[in-house]
Amino acid sequence: MPPTASTFHTKGSTVGATSNISGEMTQKSVPDRGGRGFGKPPGACAPDTQKRMQASAAKKVATLSEVKKTNPDLLQPSQLKPKIRPDVPKNGDAPVMNLVSSKNFIVANAVETILAAPKKSSDGARDFLSKQDYGKTPKYLNKVKADIDDEKSYIANLMQQQQEEESRKVRPLSEDERQSLIDGLKAKRRP
């Protein structure tokens, strides 16, 4: 075998990082296996001309020309679509021109709205004034108000406790202590 300097089979051994440098190996260090190549050989994916798809005689659809010859009734629509737009005018038809109306549309619309009957309210309309809880605060708002009051009272208790702790630290000075403090400050002030 020619020298290859292969690194495949030396993993996990005490031999150097490469092998077959001098060409002394008699067989391949890694045996050949299918799928270890670089894909199929060129031309392997080409279609086989002998196995191409053949038209099935059982599923054959007749062409349009065959249907016209054998059974032309199949080409007639079973139902016509209704006309939505009017027909296009003929070349010789003259358009209607100079139509003038003496109707005053502004006055006519005003008269129609004045004389129109008022719209009737539906019979299913509810009278909200006759509900049982009309004018009462909803229950969920009462719960929210109670939660807010609880929070306020908790905060007030905390502040009161802090003030009590601070007031314990302070005591009023007796007259003797006050006087001795004033004398000490005066003595410090003098040079």
Side-chain angles (χ1 to χ4, degrees):
M1 195 169 164
T4 56
S6 174
T7 60
F8 284 119
H9 72 289
T10 59
K11 199 175 220 182
S13 70
T14 57
V15 184
T18 57
S19 66
N20 197 23
I21 294 176
S22 61
E24 54 201 34
M25 290 185 78
T26 56
Q27 60 184 7
K28 290 185 175 183
S29 58
V30 178
D32 290 333
R33 288 188 191 165
R36 283 192 174 175
F38 293 104
K40 294 182 179 178
C45 294
D48 187 7
T49 56
Q50 301 300 322
K51 294 182 180 177
R52 64 185 174 86
M53 292 178 63
Q54 300 291 331
S56 173
K59 296 181 182 177
K60 189 173 183 183
V61 177
T63 62
L64 183 61
S65 59
E66 291 174 356
V67 172
K68 282 183 182 178
K69 290 177 187 174
T70 59
N71 198 356
D73 294 335
L74 290 176
L75 299 177
Q76 295 295 327
S78 60
Q79 175 180 335
L80 292 176
K81 189 176 179 182
K83 283 188 175 181
I84 298 172
R85 298 179 182 169
D87 291 335
V88 177
K90 305 287 183 199
N91 195 11
D93 292 348
V96 179
M97 298 178 71
N98 296 331
L99 282 179
V100 178
S101 175
S102 62
K103 182 177 180 181
N104 188 349
F105 289 97
I106 297 172
V107 173
N109 286 343
V111 169
E112 282 181 24
T113 53
I114 290 169
L115 297 178
K119 293 180 182 178
K120 293 183 179 179
S121 62
S122 64
D123 294 336
R126 293 178 61 188
D127 184 16
F128 290 101
L129 299 177
S130 62
K131 286 176 66 177
Q132 291 177 352
D133 58 350
Y134 175 75
K136 295 179 183 174
T137 308
K139 292 179 182 177
Y140 76 94
L141 281 180
N142 289 332
K143 290 179 183 176
V144 170
K145 285 181 182 178
D147 291 343
I148 292 172
D149 290 340
D150 291 343
E151 288 178 12
K152 283 183 180 178
S153 63
Y154 178 73
I155 291 170
N157 287 338
L158 284 179
M159 292 177 69
Q160 185 178 2
Q161 288 175 359
Q162 287 177 353
Q163 287 177 355
E164 288 174 0
E165 288 176 7
E166 290 174 2
S167 65
R168 287 182 197 151
K169 296 177 185 176
V170 179
R171 63 176 177 83
L173 289 175
S174 64
E175 188 61 33
D176 295 337
E177 290 175 331
R178 188 177 77 81
Q179 197 60 41
S180 65
L181 185 64
I182 291 173
D183 292 341
L185 289 173
K186 285 181 183 177
K188 258 189 190 178
R189 192 167 170 204
R190 292 185 192 144

